[in-house]
Amino acid sequence: MQSAWQRFGVCSSCLKRQLNDLIKWQRRLIPGWIRSIYSETGKWERDYGLETRKKVEKWWLPRTKEQFCKISEADKSRQKFYVLSMFPYPSGKLHMGHVRVYTISDTIARFQKMRGMQVINPMGWDAFGLPAENAAIEHGLHPANWTQSNIKHMREQLDALGLSFSWEREITTCLPEYYKWTQYLFIKLFEAGLVYQKEAMVNWDPVDQTVLANEQVDENGCSWRSGAKVEQKYLRQWFIKTTVYAKAMLDSLSELPEWYGIKEMQANWIGDCVGCYLDFMLKVNGKETGEKLAAYTYTPEAIYGASHLYVLPDHRLLHGNSSLKAMFQSEFIPGKDCLTSVTAVNLLTKQEVPIVISAKSDFENYIDTKIGIPSTNPEDAAVAHNLGLSFSEVIETLPDGLETIVNSGEFTGMTRQEALKALTQQARNKGVGGNLTSDKLRDWLISRQRYWGTPIPIIHCQTCGTVPVPYEDLPVELPNITSFTGKGASPLETVPEWMNCSCPRCKGPAKRETDTMDTFVDSSWYYLRYTDPHNSDRPFNKALVDYWMPVDLYIGGKEHAVMHLYYARFLSHFCYNQKMTKHKEPFYKLLVQGLIKSQTYKLTTTSQYLKREEIDLTGTEPVHIKTKEKLQVTWEKMSKSKHNGIDPEELVEQYGIDTMRLYILFAAPPEQDILWDAKTDAVPGVRRWQSRLWSLTTKLIEARTSSTVPNPQLLNEKEKAEAKKIWEQKNLVVSEVTNYFTKDYLFNAAISRLMGLTNVLSQASQPLILHSAEFEDALATLCIMVAPMAPHIASELWKGLAHVQNKLCTYHKWDDDVLHQSWPKVDPEYLQQPDIIEMSVLINNKACGKVSMPRQVARNAEEVHELILQSELGIKHLQGRPIKKAFLSPRTALINFLVQE
């Protein structure tokens, strides 16, 4: 039997082709038949539903990222903006904290680029660290493979969020091309006398015979792996003398802008730099032992009055590997100040004083060795008196109350302040201490008995001693180790062909250092490397680093606001002193974002955290689904172990990229915590707002595709007055949003103001939409200001606006995408308006009149409040009445006083 098309003489392929053409024609005629977007089809979709949103984000996701992906030559004639979010550890999975910080940095990068700045927003990986080594021990994965796999996955996750990172500047700290320069900087520090070795206390697992990091010791003081009780043991460790820069770092905090309380945290961490350490040589029976000791004094100017050196009973001299250990232990009696037969020679003054083991268990803060000076400390005087120690009085008070120095060699006759300055300077010149620091601060211990870290570029030679690896031999690369046990000494000691080497000086047999560096060393300079990430000749080019630095805005968590920030500032100060950079401080502004918290549910009896499927939420209170036990409900930082984490990928799938971005920016100011509750809080609000923006654009498109040609002359007086209000509102919002983006980064307030402008435009009459240039301009301006925060929907809205017929605004670059538009500026005419406005005054929601005041004052609630109270209206209606609260609306020039009747 013949088919129908055969009977009519039509081949099947031709008919199918004709049917396809017919279907395509029908789709063009009937927009509702298939949902698509303008950028793909040239046909505007009326509603912003789920399918349209997915198509918009799929279309624009790759296009909105492209512009940030290439390194261009720095155009030094243009103003730069360096925005940096703290780089992550590649754990393998993004969490909402990551999403929040990177959304903020992405928004600011896009905003500054629209302002005409030359912007970098780099990203990299803090890739060394203990978790990779633990994965190797537990799962047999090599740390490098585990790390690279995690980086690949997290990179894909970041790309899926549409973030505008400068990916060609990507750095990874575990790659030799990066840690070569970490080693280079270490050697620079070594050559400057800022690196040394001494014994320090570590956590020791007596079963596995290995050093444990603090996080490997549980709350009971036991090893995470063997379960053994952890011991405290002295091992020889590497230190960086960060205390040398303490005073300079404390003083330069005053040159920085407000850091939301972080400057105070930095200052508190450093402490009051009033004293210093001075170096001593130890002697026994008049003979030098070769051992040195640094001791702290609060009053360096009075050093010639020293009577003794004081050490604590748990000092390394009594418990470490000192040659004097047995002598100190034999002379120690617990609970008593013990005069020992060991003396200490001050390498500055050449004075010799005895060492006393203190009866105390601790001194102030972190001091374990201090200089006893009876002239300035009554406790020191009492110890000297009780032990019969001699000393000189070195402070003399003149009749006018001025204190001067006596019996102090060349410093005699100076005031205490003069002597402090001169004596510490002389100590620094001789390299025997003298750097002002506090009793809170310790030098930076960087040794780690681990494999997965930057190898310390030091060679130990029996003839030459400690020798740095020559620069031309860098990097010292990690050897390939295939088996990790977590037991015994450093894994690098198990590779003799790597550890055994020749001394660079004498060419004799020597051994490499087998400790690796703390990961804080890697992250102490990464912001400098971003400025010149592919340089194979040096850590960075000075001209480039001088152009891009300092970082204009540094964004990260408050948990990094002390140690990481301190170490990064130290390295920057050091590079400045080495003339490697011209900027002393690395970060100009700091934005510390709060946590994202979610509800946790735990049993009150055992404090066990429960999964969502173990909880019955149908009643008035949540209970355990099996036992019906009432649960303790709290808001806590999202955590896998607490079963309250939220997967960013699931959120993107459910709500979309732009909704998630807007939620994060709108839910709270950056420095505050976000309490995540998607059902009741900001998510529905920002979704509705996107729909209203889409609806506004639809209205303009439909109005301009009508047969009526737009003509502003057709507006009546009332409509012209409405148009002027729209113009005024647009300019006010431009001014305020720009301010929020540049000063306090109050994105929630910026979104609120943009929502307000959306509402104003939504109320516009049809003639206004059709004939008003002000409406068209305000909508275009609104779209531009939304773009940094929600780039995908803004890009599609702009594409729709760009193809509107009969435009009234010709000064926008309609042929360019929205992210290539210039950030809007306040119209000059708006700034030239009369400076006096009429403020409407309401009392308990009832209008009472108006008060004239300057336009600038009208935005400040306190000043408006005061002016009205002093006005005739205020004296008449408010004098003597208790005011409970006042609400100011600068946008509508209205203030409402709530007073007690």
Side-chain angles (χ1 to χ4, degrees):
M1 183 178 175
Q2 286 184 318
S3 63
W5 53 81
Q6 286 173 327
R7 288 201 305 271
F8 285 101
V10 182
C11 73
S12 61
S13 60
C14 293
L15 183 61
K16 286 178 182 176
R17 191 162 55 246
Q18 289 171 6
L19 284 171
N20 286 336
D21 291 341
L22 177 64
I23 290 168
K24 289 178 183 175
W25 177 74
Q26 286 178 321
R27 287 179 180 176
R28 286 198 297 270
L29 287 180
I30 311 169
W33 209 70
I34 182 168
R35 304 179 72 82
S36 193
I37 62 169
Y38 182 87
S39 296
E40 286 182 303
T41 66
K43 189 72 181 177
W44 184 258
E45 181 66 46
R46 294 193 83 255
D47 300 312
Y48 193 61
L50 175 64
E51 192 174 335
T52 303
R53 184 262 295 166
K54 286 186 175 181
K55 284 180 174 289
V56 164
E57 294 188 350
K58 183 180 178 182
W59 176 269
W60 286 106
L61 180 64
R63 290 164 174 80
T64 56
K65 290 189 300 182
E66 287 172 0
Q67 59 183 305
F68 275 85
C69 291
K70 292 184 179 178
I71 295 180
S72 56
E73 290 295 320
D75 178 1
K76 293 174 185 174
S77 65
R78 286 174 61 194
Q79 196 172 347
K80 63 89 183 179
F81 195 91
Y82 183 176
V83 57
L84 178 62
S85 43
M86 295 179 183
F87 67 168
Y89 178 76
S91 59
K93 200 167 184 64
L94 287 181
H95 56 68
M96 288 306 296
H98 289 133
V99 176
R100 188 180 193 190
V101 67
Y102 303 143
T103 297
I104 293 170
S105 68
D106 181 81
T107 297
I108 292 168
R110 293 185 188 279
F111 163 71
Q112 293 292 353
K113 196 169 184 72
M114 292 171 81
R115 294 182 81 205
M117 298 285 193
Q118 193 163 219
V119 176
I120 55 170
N121 178 27
M123 173 51 67
W125 311 97
D126 193 6
F128 274 134
L130 195 55
E133 206 157 326
N134 290 342
I137 295 167
E138 293 175 22
H139 308 298
L141 297 169
H142 193 279
N145 296 337
W146 185 84
T147 301
Q148 290 299 335
S149 173
N150 287 351
I151 287 173
K152 182 176 181 294
H153 181 61
M154 290 180 74
R155 170 85 184 258
E156 289 168 355
Q157 287 184 300
L158 290 170
D159 279 341
L161 295 173
L163 299 166
S164 61
F165 289 122
S166 310
W167 278 115
E168 286 196 9
R169 295 180 182 271
E170 181 181 16
I171 58 172
T172 305
T173 61
C174 67
L175 296 180
E177 54 262 35
Y178 182 87
Y179 69 70
K180 170 183 180 176
W181 302 111
T182 306
Q183 293 171 339
Y184 173 96
L185 291 169
F186 177 92
I187 294 171
K188 285 286 185 186
L189 288 161
F190 183 89
E191 291 172 344
L194 296 176
V195 172
Y196 65 96
Q197 272 187 298
K198 75 169 184 179
E199 288 185 318
M201 199 88 78
V202 296
N203 300 314
W204 181 256
D205 184 328
V207 173
D208 284 347
Q209 293 287 296
T210 191
V211 175
L212 301 174
N214 288 334
E215 58 266 33
Q216 293 178 308
V217 181
D218 67 20
E219 62 272 14
N220 299 314
C222 296
S223 167
W224 72 301
R225 176 164 291 281
S226 71
K229 197 73 176 175
V230 172
E231 300 172 356
Q232 296 296 298
K233 181 177 179 178
Y234 276 98
L235 281 185
R236 196 159 175 79
Q237 305 276 281
W238 285 97
F239 288 82
I240 295 176
K241 282 188 184 179
T242 52
T243 52
V244 167
Y245 282 82
K247 186 68 165 67
M249 290 169 67
L250 182 68
D251 290 346
S252 68
L253 285 172
S254 62
E255 301 167 13
L256 296 167
E258 179 52 48
W259 274 7
Y260 303 99
I262 304 304
K263 285 208 300 188
E264 289 75 12
M265 291 172 67
Q266 279 281 297
N268 185 59
W269 175 264
I270 295 171
D272 294 327
C273 298
V274 295
C276 72
Y277 286 91
L278 293 170
D279 292 341
F280 291 78
M281 176 67 73
L282 303 189
K283 295 174 74 173
V284 176
N285 300 324
K287 292 183 179 179
E288 291 186 359
T289 65
E291 292 194 42
K292 288 183 180 180
L293 190 62
Y296 189 81
T297 172
Y298 292 94
T299 54
E301 70 277 12
I303 189 62
Y304 280 86
S307 58
H308 60 282
L309 237 58
Y310 232 2
V311 298
L312 291 175
D314 64 355
H315 196 278
R316 61 183 176 83
L317 289 174
L318 282 81
H319 302 281
N321 297 308
S322 168
S323 61
L324 305 173
K325 176 178 175 179
M327 182 177 293
F328 276 114
Q329 287 185 342
S330 67
E331 296 176 330
F332 171 55
I333 302 172
K336 288 186 65 178
D337 288 323
C338 303
L339 182 63
T340 72
S341 52
V342 182
T343 58
V345 178
N346 187 319
L347 295 180
L348 179 67
T349 66
K350 307 306 179 187
Q351 284 183 301
E352 188 171 345
V353 294
I355 292 182
V356 174
I357 304 171
S358 176
K360 295 181 176 181
S361 60
D362 56 65
F363 296 144
E364 299 84 349
N365 291 310
Y366 292 122
I367 295 173
D368 66 358
T369 311
K370 69 175 187 176
I371 305 169
I373 304 178
S375 293
T376 59
N377 190 312
E379 283 189 24
D380 295 345
V383 171
H385 176 75
N386 292 338
L387 297 177
L389 305 177
S390 62
F391 60 89
S392 301
E393 290 289 350
V394 292
I395 306 292
E396 182 177 75
T397 305
L398 300 180
D400 61 1
L402 183 66
E403 290 183 319
T404 60
I405 299 298
V406 296
N407 302 319
S408 299
E410 64 189 274
F411 306 101
T412 298
M414 294 183 181
T415 65
R416 289 189 67 171
Q417 193 58 39
E418 290 169 344
L420 171 68
K421 188 175 179 181
L423 189 142
T424 54
Q425 182 63 56
Q426 192 175 103
R428 291 195 295 274
N429 292 343
K430 292 185 176 181
V432 293
N435 296 286
L436 291 180
T437 185
S438 77
D439 58 8
K440 287 184 173 183
L441 211 54
R442 291 181 286 189
D443 283 334
W444 181 9
L445 192 163
I446 66 157
S447 285
R448 296 293 180 268
Q449 291 71 43
R450 295 280 173 268
Y451 168 75
W452 196 236
T454 298
I456 294 177
I458 290 293
I459 291 171
H460 300 284
C461 173
Q462 287 193 333
T463 304
C464 304
T466 301
V467 181
V469 172
Y471 289 112
E472 61 269 20
D473 292 344
L474 298 178
V476 177
E477 293 195 33
L478 285 170
N480 186 29
I481 295 178
T482 56
S483 176
F484 295 86
T485 65
K487 300 179 181 181
S490 168
L492 292 176
E493 290 186 24
T494 66
V495 191
E497 65 273 18
W498 179 87
M499 185 173 66
N500 296 317
C501 63
S502 300
C503 173
R505 288 183 186 165
C506 70
K507 310 305 178 185
K511 292 184 182 295
R512 293 191 187 280
E513 174 60 56
T514 56
D515 282 359
T516 53
M517 295 188 209
D518 174 18
T519 56
F520 273 121
V521 182
D522 306 314
S523 60
S524 68
W525 75 282
Y526 78 113
Y527 51 89
L528 297 169
R529 183 64 175 174
Y530 276 140
T531 67
D532 191 16
H534 306 301
N535 196 324
S536 58
D537 298 323
R538 63 193 80 175
F540 42 80
N541 176 279
K542 187 175 186 301
L544 284 172
V545 83
D546 287 348
Y547 172 73
W548 285 112
M549 291 297 290
V551 173
D552 294 280
L553 183 64
Y554 195 33
I555 311 168
K558 199 169 188 176
E559 65 271 23
H560 303 298
V562 176
M563 285 199 296
H564 162 64
L565 207 57
Y566 173 74
Y567 297 141
R569 293 183 61 228
F570 163 78
L571 226 295
S572 183
H573 276 246
F574 172 72
C575 289
Y576 170 79
N577 280 0
Q578 292 284 307
K579 299 189 174 5
M580 296 171 71
T581 66
K582 74 173 183 180
H583 299 286
K584 189 184 294 183
E585 285 292 337
F587 314 119
Y588 180 64
K589 277 191 175 182
L590 186 71
L591 180 57
V592 176
Q593 98 279 359
L595 302 173
I596 297 186
K597 294 181 176 180
S598 185
Q599 285 184 318
T600 57
Y601 301 86
K602 60 182 178 179
L603 297 169
T604 52
T605 50
T606 62
S607 294
Q608 176 193 345
Y609 288 95
L610 299 180
K611 298 176 182 178
R612 288 293 190 271
E613 57 266 27
E614 298 175 299
I615 305 160
D616 181 358
L617 296 168
T618 58
T620 54
E621 290 184 286
V623 295
H624 190 243
I625 205 161
K626 290 182 179 177
T627 66
K628 302 304 177 185
E629 178 185 338
K630 288 185 179 180
L631 304 178
Q632 184 180 340
V633 184
T634 52
W635 290 95
E636 296 187 66
K637 179 181 177 181
M638 288 186 182
S639 164
K640 189 186 297 182
S641 63
K642 295 175 182 177
H643 309 299
N644 70 333
I646 295 172
D647 188 345
E649 291 182 55
E650 291 179 8
L651 285 175
V652 168
E653 179 61 29
Q654 185 176 358
Y655 298 115
I657 299 171
D658 287 334
T659 299
M660 185 172 68
R661 287 169 64 100
L662 290 170
Y663 170 84
I664 284 170
L665 297 171
F666 186 51
E671 70 275 7
Q672 291 182 14
D673 294 342
I674 291 177
L675 304 181
W676 187 278
D677 188 353
K679 291 180 182 176
T680 59
D681 57 13
V683 169
V686 295
R687 290 179 75 180
R688 286 193 300 270
W689 181 41
Q690 291 172 84
S691 295
R692 290 201 302 273
L693 290 169
W694 193 274
S695 176
L696 279 174
T697 305
T698 302
K699 284 182 182 180
L700 183 63
I701 291 171
E702 291 180 344
R704 295 294 174 82
T705 52
S706 67
S707 56
T708 308
V709 177
N711 182 358
Q713 300 304 318
L714 297 177
L715 295 174
N716 60 36
E717 291 306 312
K718 183 182 177 184
E719 289 163 346
K720 287 179 180 177
E722 275 186 65
K724 185 178 180 185
K725 283 186 178 178
I726 288 174
W727 175 78
E728 289 175 342
Q729 182 65 16
K730 179 211 74 169
N731 279 287
L732 176 61
V733 172
V734 167
S735 172
E736 291 182 335
V737 170
T738 305
N739 201 47
Y740 290 138
F741 267 65
T742 53
K743 292 190 177 175
D744 298 319
Y745 307 105
L746 297 177
F747 304 108
N748 61 318
I751 291 172
S752 181
R753 300 300 294 115
L754 294 173
M755 286 178 170
L757 180 56
T758 306
N759 292 339
V760 169
L761 295 178
S762 298
Q763 294 163 13
S765 62
Q766 191 62 26
L768 217 59
I769 297 171
L770 176 59
H771 297 297
S772 165
E774 289 83 358
F775 180 92
E776 180 184 308
D777 180 43
L779 182 55
T781 301
L782 175 60
C783 186
I784 292 169
M785 290 192 287
V786 168
M789 297 182 285
H792 308 94
I793 186 174
S795 295
E796 184 65 16
L797 293 173
W798 186 263
K799 192 62 73 174
L801 292 174
H803 287 82
V804 164
Q805 298 174 17
N806 303 311
K807 289 191 193 67
L808 298 171
C809 298
T810 57
Y811 43 83
H812 293 294
K813 296 179 288 184
W814 294 109
D815 291 336
D816 294 338
D817 288 339
V818 69
L819 290 167
H820 292 285
Q821 302 301 312
S822 296
W823 185 259
K825 295 179 180 177
V826 175
D827 294 324
E829 297 85 355
Y830 179 77
L831 298 172
Q832 293 167 9
Q833 289 185 106
D835 284 338
I836 303 299
I837 66 159
E838 298 293 312
M839 179 69 66
S840 298
V841 181
L842 279 66
I843 298 176
N844 291 340
N845 301 314
K846 293 181 181 178
C848 292
K850 295 186 178 183
V851 175
S852 300
M853 62 183 62
R855 181 178 297 275
Q856 289 301 109
V857 170
R859 297 181 189 178
N860 187 303
E862 290 182 12
E863 293 185 28
V864 170
H865 194 150
E866 192 61 34
L867 273 175
I868 289 173
L869 289 180
Q870 294 172 5
S871 69
E872 287 185 25
L873 183 148
I875 293 169
K876 179 180 178 181
H877 294 287
L878 292 170
Q879 198 170 54
R881 301 176 71 182
I883 298 171
K884 292 192 289 185
K885 211 160 190 180
F887 298 94
L888 174 68
S889 171
R891 179 174 62 85
T892 55
L894 179 148
I895 188 167
N896 186 12
F897 290 92
L898 298 185
V899 302
Q900 193 171 325
E901 296 290 0

